[in-house]
Amino acid sequence: MSEQRDELMKLLSDEELDLFILTGGIDMDIADQMRENVIGITKIPIGVAENFIINGNPELVPIATEEKSVIMQASIGAGLVPEGFKATTSGNIMIGQIQVLEVPDMDAAEEAILAEKAALLVDANTLSRSRKAVDLQVKRLDTAVGEMLIVEVFADVRDSMGANLIDSMCELLAPTIARITGGRTLLPILSNLATKRTVTLTTRVPVELIGPAVVNDIIAADAFAWADPYRASTSNKGVMNGIIGVLLATSNDTRAVEAGAHSFASITGTYRPLTKWRKDGNGDLVGTLEIPMGIGTVGGVIQSHKLAQVVLRLMNVETASDLAMIAGSVGLASNLGALYIMVTEGIKSIQA
């Protein structure tokens, strides 16, 4: 047992240790309340990624994964950056969309919605005392079934993931939107492409630590991914290995984040890597990652999953932004660790 893992286990009470080792945090009664038609419970191993420094603070990071070497790659990547990772978030704005069909006059409909914007936001904000809609915008789409109007609601969901609130806001506004536009509303739904809720990471690997040849090879490997979507797909899978592991350990919606990440990777019209590696003036390797992160630390399954609550406590996480910065750092570290291994020893060296 590593020193850091031993240190983490000492922070657990006997009851919390049982959650990790025996129950996994849920029993059949809890599982039945969480999901329909439950017939059993599956368990995923949780390990600890080491060597992480995020915004100057050392971090021990629990990762839930069934895949061999994911935690090793993240730990190796984190160990290559003595100054750690610098992380920032853009806020907690999630986006909802209301689809409007059969609009008789698009120009008039768009003008009417924007004229009623303030009133629409007031209506949306009757649903929550603390999480509020902050903006409303309109766009047109040319589609295979004709032109349609899309009304987008932007809400600050704070530390929740926000899906239920956003869906409720859109459903509440849909009849009013139909009346204002003279059209027919169809889908009122959250978007998982959370472009207003991103996390950005930067890190630096000193050239003295890995040598100029390895710096150049990692940049060349990265260039391969930027030139070829087939390679970009696997590169991004490596990023998500780490991110999804952190989110699974904290009972967040991994499918939502995965969908948003891959949509973000192709938002320019070409599928691209989520990471970028370059060389600075000193010859050091500099890496960046930007990714949407629609996650929460309150609400949903997190409230009922005891193990998720313990994991959040162990990570000293209080806000959704805190969790996003940790998850993003693990994603960038995972990418770096995988690239370093591939250009030096080869990926099979850790898969044996």
Side-chain angles (χ1 to χ4, degrees), residues 240-292:
M240 300 312 294
N241 277 343
I243 291 174
I244 295 304
V246 174
L247 301 186
L248 187 60
T250 56
S251 290
N252 268 275
D253 188 343
T254 59
R255 287 88 50 208
V257 174
E258 188 99 44
H262 293 294
S263 298
F264 193 67
S266 57
I267 200 167
T268 62
T270 301
Y271 189 83
R272 60 173 181 79
L274 292 162
T275 55
K276 179 65 178 177
W277 295 96
R278 62 177 179 84
K279 185 162 46 177
D280 70 6
N282 296 323
D284 295 339
L285 180 67
V286 177
T288 58
L289 166 68
E290 183 183 15
I291 185 171

Side-chain angles (χ1 to χ4, degrees), residues 63-293:
I63 292 177
T65 181
E66 84 295 344
E67 185 175 340
K68 182 179 175 63
S69 80
V70 166
I71 293 171
M72 182 186 298
Q73 289 177 35
S75 298
I76 288 173
L80 294 174
V81 290
E83 296 180 359
F85 300 86
K86 295 180 180 179
T88 59
T89 57
S90 63
N92 293 311
I93 303 295
M94 295 293 285
I95 304 170
Q97 297 180 301
I98 303 168
Q99 179 190 24
V100 192
L101 306 175
E102 302 164 12
V103 178
D105 186 330
M106 281 288 189
D107 290 335
E110 185 171 353
E111 184 177 337
I113 291 172
L114 294 178
E116 294 292 327
K117 174 178 174 178
L120 290 166
L121 291 176
V122 168
D123 288 346
N125 287 331
T126 60
L127 295 176
S128 174
R129 289 179 295 178
S130 59
R131 299 174 295 164
K132 298 296 184 181
V134 296
D135 197 10
L136 185 144
Q137 298 177 13
V138 184
K139 67 182 182 183
R140 302 183 193 184
L141 293 179
D142 288 319
T143 78
V145 297
E147 191 176 22
M148 59 184 67
L149 205 64
I150 309 298
V151 180
E152 295 186 323
V153 180
F154 298 79
D156 184 349
V157 298
R158 304 186 72 173
D159 292 320
S160 68
M161 188 273 184
N164 290 338
L165 176 66
I166 294 291
D167 287 345
S168 296
M169 284 182 172
C170 291
E171 288 176 350
L172 177 66
L173 297 182
T176 304
I177 296 294
R179 177 181 57 80
I180 291 172
T181 61
R184 177 172 67 92
T185 56
L186 187 57
L187 296 185
I189 189 71
L190 167 86
S191 172
N192 288 124
L193 181 53
T195 54
K196 301 295 184 180
R197 198 180 192 184
T198 61
V199 60
T200 301
L201 292 305
T202 60
T203 195
R204 182 185 307 273
V205 183
V207 64
E208 296 84 4
L209 188 62
I210 60 175
V214 174
V215 169
N216 290 336
D217 282 350
I218 289 176
I219 291 171
D222 182 60
F224 176 17
W226 277 88
D228 183 8
Y230 289 86
R231 170 59 200 148
S233 175
T234 309
S235 177
N236 288 341
K237 189 266 183 182
V239 172
M240 300 312 294
N241 277 343
I243 291 174
I244 295 304
V246 174
L247 301 186
L248 187 60
T250 56
S251 290
N252 268 275
D253 188 343
T254 59
R255 287 88 50 208
V257 174
E258 188 99 44
H262 293 294
S263 298
F264 193 67
S266 57
I267 200 167
T268 62
T270 301
Y271 189 83
R272 60 173 181 79
L274 292 162
T275 55
K276 179 65 178 177
W277 295 96
R278 62 177 179 84
K279 185 162 46 177
D280 70 6
N282 296 323
D284 295 339
L285 180 67
V286 177
T288 58
L289 166 68
E290 183 183 15
I291 185 171
M293 196 72 73

